[in-house]
Amino acid sequence: MVRDGLGGEERFAAMSYFFRQQVHFRKDAEFEAKHPRGKTTPESTSGSFAPAEAAKDAPLLVMHAPPKSKPVVLVFGGSFNPIHSGHVQTAANARALMEQAGYTVLDVVVAPSADRLLVAKPAKDGEVRLNLTERAHLAREYLRGDSTIRVSTLPGEEAEAFQGKVKRVHLAQSVQRQHPDATVVNITGQDQADMATVPRFPALFTGDEGTSHHGYYYLALPRDMSEGVSSSKIRAALKDGRDIPEEYMPRRVQDALRALIRSRGTVGKAWLP
C-alpha cells in the first residue's frame, strides 16, 4: 500500500467518504449539489475548452508530489474511437488541476492507442472501428485551433511494433523519451485507478510498490466530472443512422467522421483496415 500522507482520523474520514459515494453516488442529492457534474463548456472561437466547475471545486489529493522544479507533461491515452467532448474536457480539467496545484504544465498529449489493442476488444455487429491514423485525424480536427492540447501517434505506433504485451507504463515511457527534462503524468479515470490504493479523487499518486506502475505518476479524475458522454454512444448512433448530439462532438468533426466512413465504404463493417 502506498503512503498517502494522511493522518489516522483524516485517512479514516477520506476512506469512509470514498466508500459512501460508491454506494450512494446516484442517490445522494446533497453530494450532487455539492459536487455538480462537470459541464462541457461550449467551444470558444479558438476551439479550446475551459475547465469544468467540478475540476475547480474538488480539491486535488496529492499523495506523491512530483518535483515542482520540473515542468509537467500530461499524457492522456485511450482508444478515442472516436474522440468526444468528454475526452477534451477531461484533458482541460487535468491541466487546470495541476496548474492550481502549482505545477507548470508544458504539454498535454492525447495519444490514441495501438490498433492491436483496439482489435483485441470485442465489437458489436455493425459498429465502426477506426484505425490509429483515422482516430488521430479526428482528434486533430476536434482540437484544431486549441494550442493547449496536441495529438501524438508515436506512442501508438511504438506499441504496435512492440513485441510482447503492451502495458500502460509504455505510454509514459514513450512520452518521457520525447520530454527527457519533464515529469510525465498519466491522466486516468477513477474507474481505472487500480494501480494504487487511492482514498478519494481527484488524486495525484504513483503506483503501489511491487507493481510495474511504481515510480510512475498518475492523475486520476472522479467520474462525476463527466456527463456520461461516450464513444460507444457515438458508434451506436452511427450504426443506427441517428444524429450525434453536438454536445458530444462538434458538427465539423461529425462531418469529418462520416466522410471517413463514406470514403472507405465501410458503413456496417466492424473495422476500417
Side-chain angles (χ1 to χ4, degrees):
M1 182 181 297
V2 294
R3 294 168 56 198
D4 58 23
L6 297 176
E9 292 184 4
E10 187 180 3
R11 178 178 177 79
F12 177 80
M15 291 298 289
S16 297
Y17 173 89
F18 174 68
F19 287 114
R20 267 201 323 273
Q21 299 318 319
Q22 298 305 298
V23 176
H24 300 295
F25 179 79
R26 293 294 179 187
K27 299 180 180 179
D28 192 341
E30 182 178 350
F31 177 76
E32 290 281 344
K34 186 176 180 181
H35 299 281
R37 293 176 178 274
K39 298 296 184 181
T40 300
T41 305
E43 289 179 290
S44 67
T45 54
S46 68
S48 61
F49 268 56
E53 288 300 321
K56 297 177 184 177
D57 296 341
L60 176 64
L61 171 63
V62 180
M63 298 169 63
H64 293 83
K68 292 186 178 179
S69 58
K70 297 173 64 175
V72 165
V73 173
L74 294 169
V75 57
F76 189 13
S79 59
F80 303 108
N81 181 45
I83 193 170
H84 55 67
S85 60
H87 294 137
V88 180
Q89 188 66 72
T90 294
N93 289 343
R95 174 186 281 272
L97 283 168
M98 292 300 291
E99 289 179 341
Q100 289 163 11
Y103 291 94
T104 299
V105 179
L106 180 66
D107 204 1
V108 180
V109 179
V110 167
S113 59
D115 289 337
R116 63 187 263 195
L117 298 179
L118 198 60
V119 172
K121 297 179 180 180
K124 296 179 181 179
D125 291 341
E127 278 198 348
V128 171
R129 279 179 169 172
L130 306 173
N131 64 36
L132 175 59
T133 300
E134 292 160 336
R135 287 178 280 132
H137 167 72
L138 288 175
R140 291 189 177 108
E141 177 60 30
Y142 198 124
L143 297 165
R144 178 162 48 91
D146 186 344
S147 61
T148 66
I149 308 172
R150 71 179 178 89
V151 180
S152 176
T153 59
L154 183 58
E157 292 165 357
E158 291 179 347
E160 192 69 35
F162 182 74
Q163 299 296 316
K165 183 179 179 179
V166 177
K167 299 180 179 179
R168 274 186 281 188
V169 296
H170 291 162
L171 175 59
Q173 292 169 350
S174 176
V175 176
Q176 188 71 75
R177 286 191 290 270
Q178 300 175 57
H179 299 277
D181 298 323
T183 299
V184 174
V185 177
N186 293 271
I187 301 171
T188 187
Q190 172 180 331
D191 56 341
Q192 296 180 330
D194 56 357
M195 68 287 293
T197 304
V198 183
R200 66 170 175 82
F201 301 92
L204 178 62
F205 58 92
T206 62
D208 278 333
E209 293 183 18
T211 72
S212 62
H213 300 282
H214 183 59
Y216 292 91
Y217 289 101
Y218 293 87
L219 174 62
L221 304 183
R223 61 172 172 242
D224 60 316
M225 282 188 178
S226 69
E227 275 291 308
V229 182
S230 70
S231 297
S232 60
K233 291 180 180 179
I234 294 175
R235 295 195 302 271
L238 286 170
K239 173 186 172 183
D240 298 338
R242 293 182 282 108
D243 289 336
I244 301 170
E246 286 198 52
E247 58 266 29
Y248 284 22
M249 177 184 285
R251 181 61 59 186
R252 72 173 192 281
V253 185
Q254 293 187 37
D255 292 343
L257 172 58
R258 295 182 190 280
L260 271 177
I261 296 172
R262 286 195 301 270
S263 68
R264 294 294 191 88
T266 53
V267 175
K269 295 185 179 179
W271 175 248
L272 299 185

